[in-house]
Amino acid sequence: MTTTNETPPSRMNSTQAWVTYLSKVELPVLANTLKRINELTDSTNSTVNELANVILNDAQLTSQVLRLSNTVFYNQTRTQVSTVSRAITLIGFDSVKSMAISSLLVDTLLQRNDRPHLLRCLARAIHSAVQARCLMPKRNDHALEEVFIGALLMNIGELAFWSCDTEQAHELEQRLRLEEPPVEAQKAVLHTTFTEITRGLVDAWALGPFIKDVVAPGQANSMAASLVRHSVEMATLSEKGWRGAEMDKVLEQLGKDTDQTPAAVRDQLKVNAQEAAKVAVSLGIPQVTALMPGSQDGSGGRAGRAPDIDPNLQLQILRDLTVSLTDKPDLNEVCQLVIEGTHRAIGMQRVALLMGDKTGHNLIPRKVGGRGTETWREDFVISRDGTGPLGRLLPHASCVIYEPRPVEEGVPYDRWLGKVPALIGPLTAKGRLVGLFYADNAAADYVPSEEQLTAFGHFVQNAQLCITLLAAN
């Protein structure tokens, strides 16, 4: 049995040990905040204020909720929302509550880890949540958000497990790589299963009676719980394509849940999958869209397609850059807009601007954006002479897609730098390299598209123009 202090045991060997360890040692803040949000119901004005306060206490959560509040998925009126209280009034208590839970879950887990298994689980969770919400026949807000959160959290045990860097996680990863049956591998390594851990966490974190029904063994007690279960099953199967005996069986079940024909359900699922990809981008994890249906080839294998850029947001940021350059150019402001555009409009997960250090021998980060970049400010260094493990990142005369060699030397502080495809954009002054923009997608296994490269080039050109104007003055 694990202890409840900060020192983790070497091995967990029961369901309760895992539940206690995840709740008390690894994820206590997530557990407590989810519990607080789930306990709130839209019954009084004070409860509405409590929800607003929970969100406002976390700057990142506030930013994410406001971003989601201005997406068509939640805000079909397209009325601009700039405050949390306005979001609750305009969009509804339940919708804002589901935004807060999904944002909190994504941010907390990915700040801890970005291993491929976690990304795939998050892709499935978001896909199934959007499907359940879109398929739900009862169109009142509470029912819609209940099934959304139910599907999102149905595999919370697996999500929590993969976010932790434990010896048993590495061991299970190895067994799954050798294609050992998943449940057998879980029992061998964890002495329990993800399903049992999920049930334990639902109780320990007080996630509510609906989710408890969703994850309970036996028949579901309501149509909504049944819909959630079948949506989650469908999301997993859809990674191999929309057809097949198992998929046909799930489509029949979803048809019964929603009173539609299987053919009608299949058509709707394909449309909903595109919506799920948009929600993933809005949540700040565009890299998981490559793991969702629509990024597969005809045989069901993943084609590794980069996510689509957001042309409207790209145009908006380019206009902002033009305004910045029209007035007295501010290099900090211009470069920050390039970072934001590359991250949000182009869909690159991690972005950095590197410029010369005091010695003049190295390029070091001046600005960073996205998850997983916290250590870059101290550690990310590229030698100007092209030596060292990241020397090949030094750019050519224009923006390029960097593609690593099969056996590429890495760095100890980041498992992806130099080892995954990236976008590189040079900045020069009087013919001399003074900096570069770097952007990658960490664990996502696709090469940036030509469309992404072109959009990236447009952003970098504005930063280059700013440097040229300043050098001329």
Side-chain angles (χ1 to χ4, degrees):
M1 177 76 75
T2 188
T3 58
T4 58
N5 57 28
E6 293 296 323
T7 305
S10 57
R11 307 277 295 186
M12 268 60 69
N13 57 10
S14 70
T15 301
Q16 188 55 51
W18 279 108
V19 169
T20 305
Y21 174 66
L22 293 171
S23 303
K24 303 293 186 181
V25 179
E26 292 281 3
L27 298 165
V29 175
L30 176 64
N32 291 333
T33 309
L34 279 178
K35 185 175 181 180
R36 284 176 63 199
I37 294 175
N38 268 292
E39 286 173 346
L40 300 177
T41 56
D42 187 13
S43 55
T44 64
N45 287 332
S46 62
T47 307
V48 171
N49 292 334
E50 286 171 9
L51 175 60
N53 288 336
V54 169
I55 296 170
L56 290 169
N57 281 336
D58 185 327
Q60 173 71 10
L61 184 58
T62 301
S63 174
Q64 287 282 58
V65 166
L66 291 177
R67 180 192 294 181
L68 288 168
S69 296
N70 287 293
T71 62
V72 177
F73 184 70
Y74 282 106
N75 183 355
Q76 295 186 354
T77 67
R78 304 200 179 198
T79 303
Q80 187 69 25
V81 175
S82 57
T83 65
V84 172
S85 57
R86 173 65 173 155
I88 296 174
T89 301
L90 180 69
I91 300 169
F93 180 94
D94 290 297
S95 293
V96 174
K97 181 176 170 181
S98 83
M99 288 182 216
I101 290 174
S102 49
S103 298
L104 182 70
L105 187 72
V106 168
D107 285 342
T108 303
L109 298 182
L110 281 185
Q111 281 171 3
R112 300 169 53 77
N113 213 310
D114 59 359
R115 58 161 43 98
H117 283 292
L118 177 58
L119 291 174
R120 181 168 290 284
C121 287
L122 279 170
R124 288 173 181 168
I126 294 167
H127 181 206
S128 59
V130 171
Q131 291 284 6
R133 188 181 191 272
C134 292
L135 289 170
M136 183 69 181
K138 294 181 180 178
R139 305 305 292 178
N140 69 75
D141 287 345
H142 180 70
L144 292 177
E145 304 313 328
E146 188 174 58
V147 296
F148 181 93
I149 295 303
L152 189 74
L153 299 180
M154 184 173 167
N155 289 312
I156 185 63
E158 184 174 7
L159 286 163
F161 172 82
W162 287 124
S163 75
C164 303
D165 194 20
T166 63
E167 177 186 330
Q168 282 160 287
H170 293 291
E171 188 177 328
L172 182 58
E173 210 167 25
Q174 181 61 29
R175 284 176 178 258
L176 295 176
R177 195 174 293 123
L178 298 174
E179 299 188 355
E180 186 172 331
V183 174
E184 291 180 19
Q186 291 164 33
K187 289 178 179 177
V189 177
L190 314 184
H191 305 284
T192 182
T193 63
F194 288 147
T195 299
E196 291 302 321
I197 294 173
T198 290
R199 289 169 182 160
L201 290 179
V202 167
D203 282 337
W205 295 6
L207 296 183
F210 179 73
I211 297 178
K212 190 168 184 177
D213 182 25
V214 167
V215 303
Q219 288 288 109
N221 290 323
S222 67
M223 179 279 293
S226 176
L227 174 63
V228 167
R229 291 184 184 184
H230 292 135
S231 296
V232 171
E233 185 180 357
M234 177 280 304
T236 303
L237 292 173
S238 68
E239 294 167 13
K240 298 179 181 178
W242 295 110
R243 299 197 175 273
E246 289 181 295
M247 178 61 81
D248 289 344
K249 185 177 178 181
V250 174
L251 289 177
E252 285 186 25
Q253 297 296 334
L254 284 170
K256 292 176 182 177
D257 292 332
T258 60
D259 197 23
Q260 298 182 77
T261 66
V265 172
R266 196 194 313 270
D267 290 341
Q268 190 175 350
L269 292 178
K270 293 178 182 179
V271 175
N272 297 345
Q274 300 304 313
E275 194 65 49
K278 294 177 184 177
V279 171
V281 173
S282 298
L283 282 166
I285 47 173
Q287 69 273 29
V288 306
T289 61
L291 306 175
M292 291 180 172
S295 295
Q296 285 85 10
D297 57 29
S299 64
R302 279 187 291 135
R305 182 178 63 82
D308 294 332
I309 66 171
D310 183 336
N312 293 328
L313 183 56
Q314 181 193 1
L315 182 60
Q316 177 188 324
I317 293 175
L318 286 172
R319 285 172 177 163
D320 291 344
L321 283 165
T322 300
V323 171
S324 297
L325 292 170
T326 302
D327 300 328
K328 184 178 179 180
D330 183 327
L331 186 60
N332 278 328
E333 180 183 349
V334 168
C335 288
Q336 187 59 48
L337 284 169
V338 174
I339 293 277
E340 183 177 350
T342 303
H343 179 52
R344 293 180 55 207
I346 300 177
M348 301 301 291
Q349 181 190 355
R350 312 191 302 176
V351 191
L353 166 66
L354 296 96
M355 300 193 80
D357 65 0
K358 292 179 180 179
T359 69
H361 299 311
N362 302 311
L363 297 175
I364 60 174
R366 291 293 176 85
K367 293 181 179 294
V368 297
R371 296 185 180 88
T373 59
E374 294 80 11
T375 63
W376 286 6
R377 293 184 185 277
E378 301 295 327
D379 300 319
F380 193 177
V381 178
I382 303 176
S383 298
R384 282 182 181 272
D385 61 8
T387 61
L390 300 178
R392 287 189 64 240
L393 294 180
L394 285 179
H396 299 286
S398 60
C399 294
V400 298
I401 298 174
Y402 164 81
E403 296 197 46
R405 294 175 299 206
V407 181
E408 193 75 51
E409 185 179 0
V411 291
Y413 57 86
D414 188 292
R415 74 175 83 177
W416 311 116
L417 270 179
K419 301 181 75 172
V420 295
L423 294 173
I424 308 287
L427 295 174
T428 61
K430 298 179 180 179
R432 181 173 178 268
L433 179 71
V434 295
L436 66 87
F437 284 97
Y438 170 90
D440 71 25
N441 279 296
D445 59 354
Y446 54 79
V447 177
S449 66
E450 289 296 326
E451 185 183 24
Q452 285 179 307
L453 176 62
T454 300
F456 178 65
H458 290 155
F459 286 135
V460 174
Q461 283 170 13
N462 281 272
Q464 180 60 63
L465 179 58
C466 185
I467 289 176
T468 303
L469 290 171
L470 291 172
N473 292 333

